Amino acid sequence: MLKMILDLDTGIDDGMALAYAIGSKEIELIGVTGTFGNVYTEDGVQNVLNILNMCDANHVPVYAGESHAMNQSSFDRLEVSARIHGENGVGQVSIETSPRQKEEGSAIDFLIESIKKYKKDLVIVATGPMTNLTLALKKAPEIKEMMGRVVIMGGALTVPGNASPYTEANISQDPEAAKYLFESGVDVTMVGLDVTQRSLLTNAHTQSWRETGSVAGKTYADMVDYYISQHFDTNGCYLHDPSAVINAVHPEFFTVLPMHMTVVTEGEAVGRTIGDPYKLRDANPNVKVCIGVNSPELVNHLHKTLMSLFKK
Ligand code: BDR
Ligand code: CA
């Protein structure tokens, strides 16, 4: 079993990534850390607690992380996130409030302790801004040498962004954090819009979740139907965050191009993920950039895993 921590800004597709991790027989979910992005950190953390409770996974500890980007003092939620994910982050669907509270400690300390404990056996999947992870690396630089893979959902190499023509939302909300992570020497895989927008879930999938008759199946069907309704250019919804968590377990579904990646932190294109022109001739590229995906296989695998969770 692959030990995993999820760093989420929950968010409907973060919620799908979480359900996949709970339902997967290949993942041991060590904990969840919450960040800002689709919602404010405290609301995202509450969504995680509620989802874990609904899916009988109350053994998974949940920690709150940063509430804003590294070089800002507060967080302004993007209007587009409120529309796509609903005001409450889960498509205006009401999920029973968990009786459980988040853990006392900070997400950053939890990340540091877990990396020291599990070392290369732990994979961290970040599907919001990379602030928590980067602050952990800055606070305890010795973990860089110890840690295993990091998979992020973020960025775009070959397609336009979704937060601006240049930028993808997770990177654009804390470009300095993403840049630091990319240049840290850690083993990073970038699952960007190049691949996440190629895989779609449709109302036919959500209808079969609903037909399981379980509370989780019905709730997820309502959440994802809302998400689908906010995609005006397709008949389904993009699989951003689920693609990242699936990459951690099934890298064979993806085509990867190792590159020297950096992030633009100034000017009009701030937040853009781009090749580092100063490193062109250097050996050992720093980021494994996903450029292709076997979408039918990924969608089928995700659907099967979620069905097995919802049927319980
Ligand atoms: C990313 O931004 C958020 O809206 C989604 O949850 C995903 O992590 C896509 O750009
Ligand atoms: Ca997300």
Side-chain angles (χ1 to χ4, degrees):
M1 295 254 274
L2 184 63
K3 294 185 180 5
M4 182 181 287
I5 292 178
L6 291 175
D7 188 43
L8 310 175
D9 61 327
T10 311
I12 299 174
D13 59 330
D14 301 81
M16 275 195 272
L18 178 59
Y20 171 82
I22 299 166
S24 167
K25 292 191 172 50
E26 298 166 290
I27 295 174
E28 182 189 351
L29 190 56
I30 300 299
V32 178
T33 53
T35 191
F36 63 92
N38 291 320
V39 284
Y40 295 92
T41 302
E42 63 271 28
D43 297 336
V45 164
Q46 190 61 50
N47 288 339
V48 171
L49 287 164
N50 297 348
I51 288 171
L52 289 171
N53 184 49
M54 177 172 73
C55 297
D56 287 328
N58 275 329
H59 58 283
V60 179
V62 182
Y63 291 83
E66 290 302 288
S67 56
H68 54 79
M70 288 191 326
N71 69 357
Q72 285 172 358
S73 54
S74 63
F75 165 62
D76 281 330
R77 193 178 175 200
L78 293 173
E79 251 174 61
V80 69
S81 309
R83 174 180 67 72
I84 292 182
H85 297 270
E87 271 308 322
N88 67 355
V90 287
Q92 298 306 94
V93 173
S94 124
I95 308 178
E96 187 192 340
T97 304
S98 170
R100 191 164 64 108
Q101 306 290 313
K102 66 176 183 184
E103 304 298 314
E104 289 285 315
S106 88
I108 289 162
D109 290 336
F110 175 68
L111 286 167
I112 295 170
E113 281 157 23
S114 303
I115 290 166
K116 289 187 174 172
K117 185 167 174 192
Y118 298 113
K119 305 200 173 64
K120 298 213 184 292
D121 291 340
L122 176 69
V123 61
I124 298 171
V125 181
T127 65
M130 275 121 260
T131 320
N132 287 339
L133 204 41
T134 289
L135 288 174
L137 294 172
K138 284 179 174 246
K139 184 169 181 186
E142 68 277 12
I143 61 176
K144 286 181 200 166
E145 301 295 320
M146 304 174 185
M147 61 199 282
R149 290 182 69 204
V150 168
V151 182
I152 63 136
M153 189 285 133
L157 188 65
T158 62
V159 293
N162 59 1
S164 82
Y166 294 116
T167 59
E168 180 283 328
N170 289 339
I171 306 272
S172 79
Q173 294 184 93
D174 197 344
E176 279 79 12
K179 181 175 162 70
Y180 187 93
L181 176 68
F182 283 4
E183 296 174 2
S184 65
V186 169
D187 180 356
V188 178
T189 300
M190 174 179 134
V191 183
L193 298 175
D194 312 82
V195 300
T196 65
Q197 292 183 342
R198 287 200 210 167
S199 305
L200 297 178
L201 270 189
T202 66
N203 296 118
H205 294 108
T206 59
Q207 185 52 26
S208 40
W209 304 349
R210 189 173 283 111
E211 284 165 9
T212 61
S214 67
V215 174
K218 182 183 175 318
T219 304
Y220 265 91
D222 290 348
M223 273 162 58
V224 175
D225 280 351
Y226 177 92
Y227 194 49
I228 291 172
S229 76
Q230 298 303 309
H231 284 62
F232 304 123
D233 51 349
T234 67
N235 290 326
C237 64
Y238 300 139
L239 292 178
H240 301 302
D241 297 346
S243 297
V245 70
I246 293 173
N247 175 280
V249 196
H250 287 286
E252 73 279 6
F253 292 174
F254 297 81
T255 310
V256 161
L257 179 65
M259 279 186 66
H260 288 291
M261 285 299 280
T262 189
V263 179
V264 177
T265 52
E266 282 173 354
E268 189 194 5
V270 62
R272 183 178 192 179
T273 47
I274 192 163
D276 186 339
Y278 303 107
K279 298 265 176 72
L280 211 50
R281 284 175 294 278
D282 288 8
N284 304 325
N286 58 338
V287 178
K288 296 179 181 115
V289 181
C290 291
I291 53 165
V293 61
N294 183 336
S295 295
E297 208 164 341
L298 180 136
V299 171
N300 186 32
H301 172 70
L302 174 66
H303 181 57
K304 247 171 78 183
T305 308
L306 294 182
M307 281 296 281
S308 68
L309 176 70
F310 299 151
K311 271 184 187 158
K312 273 187 190 162

